[in-house]
Amino acid sequence: MQKLTSIALAISLSAVATHAIAEASQPKLVLQITVDALRGDLPERFRTNMGEGGFTYLLDEGLHYTNAHYQHANTETIVGHVALATGAPPAVNGMVGNVWYDRGLGRSVYNIEDGDFSLLTSGAGVDQSVEIDDTQKAAQGDGRSPLNIHTSTISDEVVKASNGKARAYSVSFKDRGAVSLAGELGKAFWFSKATGGFVTSDYYFQDYPNWVIDWNDKGFLEQYSNQRWELMLEREKYLFAEEGDVSFKTELATFKRTFPYPYGPSSFKYFTTMLSLSPAGDEIVADFAKDLIAQEQLGQNDYTDYLAVSFSATDYVIHTSGPSSIEAEDNLLRLDRTLADLFDYVDEKVGLENTLIVLSSDHGAPDAPGFITNHGGSKAGYFGVAALEESGLFERTQEEFGVGKEVLQVYSDPYLYLNHEVLKKNKLNLAQVQSFIAKEVVKIAGVDQAFTSHDIESGTMMDTRIARLVANNHFPSRSGDIYLVYNPNVYINDFDSLRVASVHGSPWRYDTHVPVIFAGLNIEGEKIHDKVTPYDIAPTISAVLGILLHLVQRVRF
C-alpha cells in the first residue's frame, strides 16, 4: 500500500491554513458520515452528557475544524449533500435546491427524480402520511437516479480509480441523502416509510441483493411497536431540562410536543413517520449500514472501499422542536450512542486504524422564532408567500410594465421564476423587469435582499458575502430570475400546511456552519479554528487515496 507522509486538508480557492492529517497507510475503508442539520456548535454544546466512543472520540481524537462554512446560499439537504460528494458548489454541480422549476418541462422537479428508473419495490415511494419535509411532492413518479448531478462524485472516482474493484455504497433514511453520495457508480439504499424497509431504484440494481431482502424481512422495526421515545437521562441533567410543552413545537399525530413521544403500534398509519421524527430513524439506518459492511465485506479488499452513511433524524427533530430544545439535545445524545456502536462495529470488522472517518453535515439550523421570542427577542418570525401578492407588488408591475400577476411563472423558494413568454409577448426587457421586481420585493417586511440572474451572470452585483454565496448557488438553466434572502431568523414555513419550529435554507451563518472532522487512521487529535469549507472534504479524501477529483470548484469567497 502507498505510504502517505503528510496529507493536508485540501485547499479551496480561499487561502486557508492547512494541517496534516496523519502518516498512515492507505485506508481499507472510507466511512463518510453526514448528520443532516448538525450545526457546527451542537456537538460541543451537548458533549457534557455524551459517553465515550461517539462524538467524544471524534472531538478528542479527530482533526476537528470548528470554523467550516458552506459558501452557497440555499442551505438545503440536496445542496449540501452534493457539495460534500463533489467538492463543488451548486454553480458547478447544478443542484441548486431540493426543488427547482424546469422551464423545458413546464413544472417544478424534485432534485433526484428520474422517470427512466423505477423503484424495485412497487409502491415504496407512495407515502400517504403527513410529512414534515414534503419536497418530494414535486416529483412525477417515484423514479430516482443521480443523473441530475452535473459533475462526478467522490464515490465515482473511487470506483473508476480501481477499475471497479473498489466498492462504493451509500445509505440514508432520505432518498436524496443516499443517491447524492452514491453518485453514478456507487450503490444507494434508502428507507421507505411506505413499506418500512430499505429500497433502491433499477438505476442501481436490477434485483435486490439477498441480504437486503433478508434485512427487510427480519422485522427490525417491530422492536419500536407500542414503544415510545423517552429521555435517555434524568431530566435535570439536560441543558434544556426546564423546557417543556411550548407552543412553537410541532404537534403531529401521537407526538404532542413533550416527552414521552409514543410511536404507536406498527399497524398505525403514521408509525414509520413517528420513527423518522425520533432517534429511531438513525438507529434503523445504522443497523442496515452494519449489515451492509458485513454482507458486502467492505474493507476486506485490496482497494479502498467507500461507505457513506447519512443520518436524518437530527434534521427532522430540529424541524419539529428547534435546535435549542430538550428533544434536539436527547436526540444527539442518542446519536452519540449510535455512532459509538457503529465505530465499535467498524473497529471489529475493519479496524479504526484502517478506516478514514469523515463527519460533517449538509447544513446548519436556526433557532425557532418561538424560542428567540421566549428569551426576549423581537425580530424572529415566519414569512408567508402570500405577502408577495398582498404587498401590491403586482399592481406596481402592472403600472410599470402593463403586466400584473402573470409576470410571475412560479415561486419556488428561494427563487422567483418570471414568465418569459409573457415578457416576450409584451416586448419587455428581462433584465429591466428583474431589476424592478428585485427593488420592489425588498420593501416587503421580512425580505432582506434580492439578487437578479442578470446581475449574477453579468458580474454586476455588489461584492458582499451574501452576494457571493448567492452567486455560488447560481446554475443558469435551473436557477430562477430573482433570488430572495430573508431577514435573519425569518423564513418560509409551508411544510404540508404544518407550522414547523425551525427551517433552514438561508445564507446566514447559523445555516452555513457545520462540523468537519477527520478521524481514524491513527490521526492525532487537534482542534483547528482556521476557516475552511466542506467543499474541501472530497478533495481531501481523494488526496488520501491518491485518486483524481477533477472538479474546478469555481467558488466566490
Side-chain angles (χ1 to χ4, degrees):
M1 291 186 180
Q2 178 184 0
K3 184 71 173 178
L4 302 180
T5 56
S6 181
I7 301 303
L9 184 73
I11 304 175
S12 65
L13 297 187
S14 63
V16 300
T18 62
H19 296 267
I21 284 185
E23 291 187 1
S25 297
Q26 193 170 21
K28 295 181 178 180
L29 176 67
V30 173
L31 176 60
Q32 183 164 3
I33 296 172
T34 306
V35 181
D36 201 318
L38 184 65
R39 199 174 66 203
D41 63 303
L42 295 181
E44 290 282 10
R45 176 195 272 191
F46 297 131
R47 77 174 293 180
T48 299
N49 287 324
M50 290 178 176
E52 300 295 324
F55 281 114
T56 298
Y57 163 71
L58 296 172
L59 296 172
D60 289 347
E61 300 187 40
L63 198 61
H64 178 202
Y65 288 83
T66 65
N67 192 19
H69 284 265
Y70 282 106
Q71 302 297 320
H72 58 254
N74 192 19
T75 44
E76 292 186 321
T77 298
I78 192 62
V79 188
H81 275 80
V82 175
L84 290 169
T86 64
V92 177
N93 65 50
M95 305 302 274
V96 299
N98 284 339
V99 174
W100 60 81
Y101 183 76
D102 187 304
R103 294 189 183 277
L105 296 175
R107 65 175 179 86
S108 295
V109 300
Y110 178 60
N111 52 87
I112 58 167
E113 71 167 86
D114 192 330
D116 291 334
F117 300 98
S118 301
L119 299 189
L120 293 186
T121 303
S122 177
V126 181
D127 184 9
Q128 300 300 327
S129 65
V130 178
E131 285 290 338
I132 290 297
D133 183 350
D134 61 0
T135 56
Q136 293 191 42
K137 291 182 178 179
Q140 281 197 355
D142 60 11
R144 301 289 184 265
S145 88
L147 296 183
N148 281 335
I149 302 174
H150 194 61
T151 54
S152 75
T153 65
I154 186 64
S155 51
D156 296 334
E157 301 303 332
V158 165
V159 173
K160 288 192 292 184
S162 66
N163 195 25
K165 296 180 175 63
R167 284 80 51 79
Y169 287 89
S170 181
V171 180
S172 178
F173 208 90
K174 297 180 180 180
D175 57 5
R176 58 190 181 274
V179 170
S180 53
L181 286 158
E184 291 187 63
L185 303 182
K187 305 291 186 184
F189 296 102
W190 57 93
F191 187 78
S192 165
K193 291 194 289 292
T195 65
F198 281 86
V199 299
T200 190
S201 78
D202 57 13
Y203 174 88
Y204 292 109
F205 292 92
Q206 293 306 304
D207 298 290
Y208 285 114
N210 288 334
W211 68 265
V212 175
I213 297 173
D214 292 341
W215 194 97
N216 286 336
D217 287 345
K218 75 177 183 178
F220 184 82
L221 272 60
E222 283 301 318
Q223 65 182 298
Y224 300 105
S225 182
N226 290 311
Q227 300 300 309
R228 55 192 192 174
W229 173 20
E230 301 188 73
L231 291 174
M232 190 173 77
L233 306 175
E234 296 176 359
R235 191 178 189 97
E236 60 268 19
K237 292 185 177 181
Y238 290 82
L239 175 63
F240 292 94
E242 297 178 1
E243 183 209 48
D245 179 3
V246 287
S247 60
F248 65 78
K249 294 180 183 178
T250 303
E251 182 174 317
L252 177 61
T254 57
F255 281 23
K256 303 299 183 183
R257 301 194 305 229
T258 188
F259 282 98
Y261 288 95
Y263 301 127
S266 57
S267 59
F268 179 44
K269 178 181 179 181
Y270 298 156
F271 177 67
T272 53
T273 296
M274 300 300 101
L275 296 182
S276 74
L277 303 180
S278 79
D282 288 344
E283 295 165 6
I284 293 165
V285 169
D287 186 78
F288 186 85
K290 288 190 295 184
D291 209 23
L292 191 158
I293 291 170
Q295 298 296 334
E296 298 294 340
Q297 297 184 321
L298 297 187
Q300 310 301 318
N301 197 351
D302 290 335
Y303 296 86
T304 302
D305 292 324
Y306 172 88
L307 173 62
V309 182
S310 178
F311 292 109
S312 306
T314 299
D315 182 69
Y316 287 128
V317 171
I318 285 176
H319 275 310
T320 57
S321 299
S324 297
S325 66
I326 194 169
E327 287 84 359
E329 185 173 358
D330 190 76
N331 173 70
L332 280 185
L333 297 184
R334 291 186 179 275
L335 176 59
D336 174 60
R337 296 299 81 211
T338 298
L339 289 175
D341 178 69
L342 177 60
F343 295 159
D344 283 345
Y345 190 84
V346 171
D347 194 26
E348 175 188 340
K349 295 294 185 181
V350 184
L352 291 181
E353 72 279 5
N354 299 315
T355 304
L356 175 62
I357 301 171
V358 184
L359 182 139
S360 190
S361 181
D362 53 347
H363 53 75
D367 278 314
F371 173 81
I372 296 172
T373 56
N374 286 348
H375 283 272
S378 60
K379 298 178 181 178
Y382 304 102
F383 182 86
V385 179
L388 294 174
E389 188 168 353
E390 294 168 357
S391 69
L393 170 64
F394 299 120
E395 283 82 355
R396 293 192 291 277
T397 62
Q398 181 73 46
E399 294 173 3
E400 185 73 15
F401 301 108
V403 292
K405 189 176 180 181
E406 66 271 22
V407 74
L408 180 65
Q409 182 78 58
V410 68
Y411 173 74
S412 182
D413 186 45
Y415 289 109
L416 297 177
Y417 292 81
L418 302 186
N419 191 321
H420 291 185
E421 293 302 316
V422 166
L423 299 184
K424 290 178 183 178
K425 181 180 178 180
N426 288 273
K427 299 180 181 180
L428 297 173
N429 181 278
L430 176 61
Q432 290 179 354
V433 176
Q434 288 178 348
S435 179
F436 178 85
I437 293 177
K439 290 176 182 177
E440 291 295 320
V441 79
V442 296
K443 298 176 183 178
I444 301 173
V447 179
D448 188 84
Q449 301 172 59
F451 300 87
T452 72
S453 63
H454 176 266
D455 286 346
I456 295 171
E457 293 169 13
S458 65
T460 57
M461 64 181 183
M462 298 179 296
D463 186 19
T464 66
R465 173 185 171 270
I466 299 299
R468 290 191 293 271
L469 268 61
V470 170
N472 289 336
N473 214 98
H474 187 74
F475 196 81
S477 63
R478 294 176 180 173
S479 295
D481 293 277
I482 301 167
Y483 191 108
L484 299 187
V485 176
Y486 305 107
N487 293 346
N489 295 304
V490 172
Y491 40 76
I492 289 286
N493 199 329
D494 59 354
F495 289 106
D496 209 17
S497 301
L498 290 173
R499 168 142 301 182
V500 299
S502 173
V503 183
H504 53 84
S506 81
W508 305 116
R509 294 187 187 276
Y510 50 68
D511 277 343
T512 63
H513 186 205
V514 297
V516 170
I517 304 175
F518 294 86
L521 279 189
N522 296 315
I523 289 172
E524 185 175 344
E526 185 179 0
K527 184 177 290 187
I528 301 161
H529 304 298
D530 296 323
K531 182 180 178 181
V532 298
T533 83
Y535 311 128
D536 297 328
I537 290 175
T540 298
I541 294 173
S542 67
V544 172
L545 302 184
I547 64 174
L548 174 71
L549 190 66
H550 61 270
L551 298 181
V552 178
Q553 293 184 330
R554 204 167 73 219
V555 184
R556 301 183 192 219
F557 290 95

